[in-house]
Amino acid sequence: MSLLHFLKEWTLPVAIVVGTVSYLTFDLVPALDDAGTWFGTLFDTLFPLCVFFTLFVTFAKVDFHKMQPRRWHLALALAQLLLIALCAGAVMLLQGNASHKLLAEAALTCIIGPCASAAPVVVGKIGGNIHTMTTYTLLSSLLCALTIPAVFPLLEKSPDLTFMQASLAIMQKLATVMLLPLLLGWIVRHYVRPLYRFIVAHPDLSFYCWALALAITTGITVKHIVHSSASPALLIAIALLSLAVCLTHFVIGRSIGNIYRERINCGQGMFQKNTAMAIWVAYMYLSPVASIGAGCYVLWQNIINSYEIWEHNYHSVAKRL
């Protein structure tokens, strides 16, 4: 296997390794402090641009006439609401035990986030329907904007934010991340045909841009872990708990998908989370330690995504032989 073929097959794990090694190198080598500061500022600017471009390229390929609600959308939303209720109840019951409460908060952070903005990108790579997946991504974001302001203030009272202020803040963030690239994608598809043809002719553009964003996210996660005040035992417990939540989401999603004959879309819709949003709300309502759960979650979900992509490519090649 050539190096180029290996990188194409395992792009997401390579991105995770690159992000981890890059941050640790700049953090552990004193001579690179100035360079690390410069690159940190660069990546802070580059990350939202990568996410924006990923979504823009994905949405430009979407036929908006095919974006219709499906029954499995409702089933996934109800399953997520049930998990949120169970986890929020656990947080309230564990108020007297700081460590256990942090674990419950970390799990809630992983559960309550919306479906990942990049889910249609991965779905397109493994043979799913990007139109219905994009529809669910938008519906999930709306659900997130309603549930986060309703649930989190019950757990950690904040005198600085009212329900309406929190809801508007979340909706503003979602509008920038989701609606603007959606609008630009629609404009390009219908009115900027040369650019649209270029995007269609390069189907992996959005995927590799998301891989770059993943490398940056991994570096940020490693930074939070290295500089966290939590004990190593608690950090390991949060990492393992986020893995358990990720696998639970995946199994529930695939099980619902078996019912509606939408295994790929339901699996991705349930387990692939917008961890950037989850980390943000954890910092706003809970604690930096709780946000580590979402940071670890993004690593687990992309390892699973990598396996799914490899499996899909393997079977595609086998069918052609």
Side-chain angles (χ1 to χ4, degrees):
M1 179 186 293
S2 67
L3 178 61
L4 182 60
H5 181 72
F6 174 82
L7 292 176
K8 286 183 177 180
E9 286 286 326
W10 301 101
T11 301
L12 299 182
V14 169
I16 292 172
V17 173
V18 168
T20 301
V21 173
S22 297
Y23 175 77
L24 292 177
T25 300
F26 285 109
D27 186 63
L28 297 176
V29 180
L32 297 177
D33 285 347
D34 292 339
T37 302
W38 186 85
F39 277 110
T41 304
L42 174 64
F43 290 146
D44 287 342
T45 304
L46 190 60
F47 176 70
L49 292 176
C50 288
V51 175
F52 184 92
F53 184 76
T54 300
L55 296 176
F56 163 68
V57 172
T58 301
F59 291 151
K61 294 183 287 186
V62 171
D63 184 349
F64 289 85
H65 295 292
K66 297 180 180 179
M67 289 180 58
Q68 299 176 357
R70 296 288 191 271
R71 286 183 295 173
W72 65 264
H73 293 163
L74 177 61
L76 290 192
L78 291 175
Q80 182 175 0
L81 287 174
L82 177 59
L83 290 175
I84 290 171
L86 292 173
C87 205
V91 173
M92 298 178 74
L93 290 173
L94 294 171
Q95 292 290 335
N97 189 315
S99 296
H100 290 172
K101 181 189 172 190
L102 272 174
L103 287 174
E105 288 178 342
L108 178 62
T109 301
C110 298
I111 292 170
I112 205 169
C115 179
S117 304
V121 178
V122 178
V123 161
K125 295 284 289 184
I126 59 178
N129 188 320
I130 66 171
H131 303 102
T132 56
M133 191 71 252
T134 301
T135 303
Y136 180 71
T137 301
L138 294 171
L139 294 175
S140 176
S141 296
L142 178 60
L143 179 66
C144 169
L146 296 175
T147 54
I148 287 176
V151 172
F152 279 43
L154 297 175
L155 308 179
E156 298 288 341
K157 305 293 184 180
S158 175
D160 301 325
L161 288 173
T162 65
F163 176 92
M164 187 58 65
Q165 288 172 331
S167 181
L168 289 176
I170 295 170
M171 288 300 290
Q172 181 182 19
K173 191 176 182 71
L174 289 173
T176 303
V177 173
M178 292 293 302
L179 298 184
L180 186 56
L182 184 68
L183 175 62
L184 291 178
W186 180 83
I187 291 173
V188 166
R189 180 182 177 89
H190 293 281
Y191 299 106
V192 192
R193 300 299 294 183
L195 179 56
Y196 170 71
R197 286 193 290 268
F198 175 81
I199 291 173
V200 172
H202 298 81
D204 289 332
L205 269 178
S206 57
F207 179 70
Y208 290 119
C209 194
W210 176 247
L212 177 58
L214 173 60
I216 298 173
T217 304
T218 302
I220 295 172
T221 301
V222 173
K223 176 182 177 181
H224 289 165
I225 293 174
V226 169
H227 296 284
S228 173
S229 59
S231 67
L234 180 58
L235 293 175
I236 293 172
I238 290 175
L240 293 177
L241 180 61
S242 67
L243 173 59
V245 172
C246 185
L247 294 175
T248 300
H249 278 154
F250 188 77
V251 170
I252 291 175
R254 283 297 179 100
S255 299
I256 293 174
N258 287 334
I259 297 173
Y260 295 100
R261 297 182 179 179
E262 289 277 3
R263 292 184 76 249
I264 293 176
N265 282 50
C266 288
Q268 292 300 128
M270 190 70 193
F271 101 98
Q272 192 167 344
K273 293 292 185 178
N274 186 333
T275 51
M277 174 65 70
I279 291 171
W280 177 71
V281 296
Y283 267 100
M284 175 176 285
Y285 290 108
L286 302 176
S287 71
V289 176
S291 72
I292 293 174
C296 294
Y297 190 100
V298 72
L299 305 181
W300 302 130
Q301 76 177 9
N302 281 287
I303 290 172
I304 294 175
N305 282 335
S306 298
Y307 175 76
E308 287 185 299
I309 293 170
W310 172 84
E311 183 182 39
H312 176 74
N313 292 340
Y314 176 81
H315 289 298
S316 296
V317 172
K319 287 180 180 178
R320 292 196 297 266
L321 296 179

